[in-house]
Amino acid sequence: MRCVVHESYGDPAEVLRLGERPLPMPGPGEVRIRTLLSPIHNHDLWKVRGQYGVKPALPAIGGSEAVGLVDAHGEGVTAPPLGARVAVAGDAGTWAECFLAPARALLPVPEGVPDALACQLVAMPISALMAIEDLDAKPGDWIVQNAAGGAVGKTLAALATARGIGVVNVVRTHEGAAALTALDIGNAVAEEGGDWPARARAAAGGASILFGIDSVGGRATGDMLRALSHGGTLMVFGAMSGEDARFPPGEVIFKEAKIVGFWAVTRMARTPAADRARMAGEIVALARSGGLKLGVERAFGLADCAAAARAATAPGRRGKVAFRP
């Protein structure tokens, strides 16, 4: 089978290449999945660079999430049936024509949910829901989040709104804010134009903003703290800027603010299966209702992996970049 591999850590556009590997055979409890669409997530690129919390053993096949068709059963597996469309996330090496996954980890994809949504239905949505629950946000509370135009941001806004939680959605540009509004994602605030934390507080209508989710880092962390009300909690979810967080100590001291971290790998590992199933059910129900709107802006063939990596890091995207083998 063909796949996207890297034999060293580095710039994804430079180290990713088209490779070939034997067709994998599923072991006990596993299935083989024929890939339909696999997105390029930020954490996938961090792994390729060797900068993620867990480094893949080299050489490695990239990718961690996909939608595909069940192609073969391992010993002891009878469901989902062959040909079933499923979504899965993990360390599966999904940038390939086929990959293996535990049968228990598969999420059946309902009819009517397009591949562009299904291929990103697990990792980011479940992470977003876990973040909401870890913050203990309740109906009537307010969250401010940056990078709101990404998959996590859009998903978090939809899930929180469905739970009666207000969300101020911060993006870089007025164009990005307009794009969110066109998707019926409200309270969009652009960073450009000056003093966006004040405009974020105004978007909340004077209510306290007790929770923030920072996916950018750098100076954005300080801006997020400025947007929080006294006693608020800022969750560091990501670092898309690639910069260390910077903030005035007074924003933490005099607001008595808390800063907490979130890492989906360990959070998922300690989450009981029944709880993961509950979260998946909530996400699938939202997707079927049309309340979850995640798209793929451009799909590349596996041979175009360098161009795909460059597109995935280009600013101003309105959807994911993905591989279509």
Side-chain angles (χ1 to χ4, degrees):
M1 68 169 189
R2 299 184 309 148
C3 53
V4 175
V5 301
H6 62 105
E7 298 177 344
S8 61
Y9 303 119
D11 181 344
E14 296 179 0
V15 301
L16 291 175
R17 65 171 184 83
L18 182 66
E20 288 191 0
R21 295 289 187 273
L23 189 68
M25 300 303 296
E30 292 183 327
V31 300
R32 185 172 67 219
I33 298 170
R34 187 162 296 277
T35 309
L36 295 174
L37 203 60
S38 179
I40 301 177
H41 292 309
N42 288 325
H43 64 258
D44 295 325
L45 299 179
W46 278 61
K47 287 180 180 179
V48 175
R49 297 184 188 107
Q51 298 173 338
Y52 197 62
V54 176
K55 286 187 177 182
L58 298 178
I61 300 174
S64 59
E65 184 170 16
V67 61
L69 303 176
V70 176
D71 185 62
H73 288 154
E75 181 183 345
V77 177
T78 57
L82 296 180
R85 191 167 60 121
V86 295
V88 66
D91 293 320
T94 56
W95 297 346
E97 291 178 319
C98 290
F99 63 93
L100 302 179
R104 58 179 172 75
L106 303 181
L107 181 66
V109 178
E111 290 186 17
V113 176
D115 289 345
L117 172 55
C119 76
Q120 45 190 320
L121 196 57
V122 182
M124 298 299 103
I126 286 185
S127 294
L129 193 51
M130 287 177 171
I132 293 171
E133 295 191 355
D134 285 0
L135 288 171
D136 199 26
K138 299 290 194 298
D141 288 339
W142 278 84
I143 298 172
V144 59
Q145 62 163 342
N146 55 19
V152 170
K154 292 173 182 174
T155 305
L156 189 143
L159 290 166
T161 299
R163 289 184 169 200
I165 300 165
V167 185
V168 179
N169 298 291
V170 182
V171 291
R172 292 189 306 142
T173 66
H174 293 303
E175 183 182 2
L180 288 183
T181 301
L183 293 173
D184 296 324
I185 298 175
N187 304 312
V189 172
E191 292 178 7
E192 64 183 11
D195 198 11
W196 73 256
R199 288 183 281 120
R201 291 191 295 272
S208 294
I209 302 178
L210 292 178
F211 307 108
I213 298 178
D214 177 21
S215 295
V216 178
R219 64 180 297 176
T221 304
D223 289 338
M224 290 290 287
L225 284 164
R226 287 176 55 212
L228 287 182
S229 300
H230 187 91
T233 298
L234 179 65
M235 174 180 282
V236 178
F237 190 93
M240 292 175 60
S241 69
E243 300 177 3
D244 291 340
R246 300 197 304 273
F247 55 89
E251 290 292 339
V252 177
I253 296 169
F254 303 124
K255 281 186 174 177
E256 297 182 286
K258 302 179 185 69
I259 299 177
V260 299
F262 178 92
W263 190 23
V265 171
T266 54
R267 176 61 164 86
M268 191 75 74
R270 66 175 182 266
T271 302
D275 214 19
R276 294 198 301 270
R278 171 186 61 79
M279 294 180 183
E282 183 174 345
I283 291 162
V284 169
L286 190 63
R288 294 184 69 174
S289 72
L292 186 57
K293 300 172 182 177
L294 301 175
V296 168
E297 182 173 281
R298 188 175 178 187
F300 288 81
L302 298 177
D304 295 325
C305 49
R310 286 191 292 269
T313 56
R317 284 188 294 106
R318 296 290 176 261
K320 280 286 182 183
V321 173
F323 286 109
R324 191 187 302 277

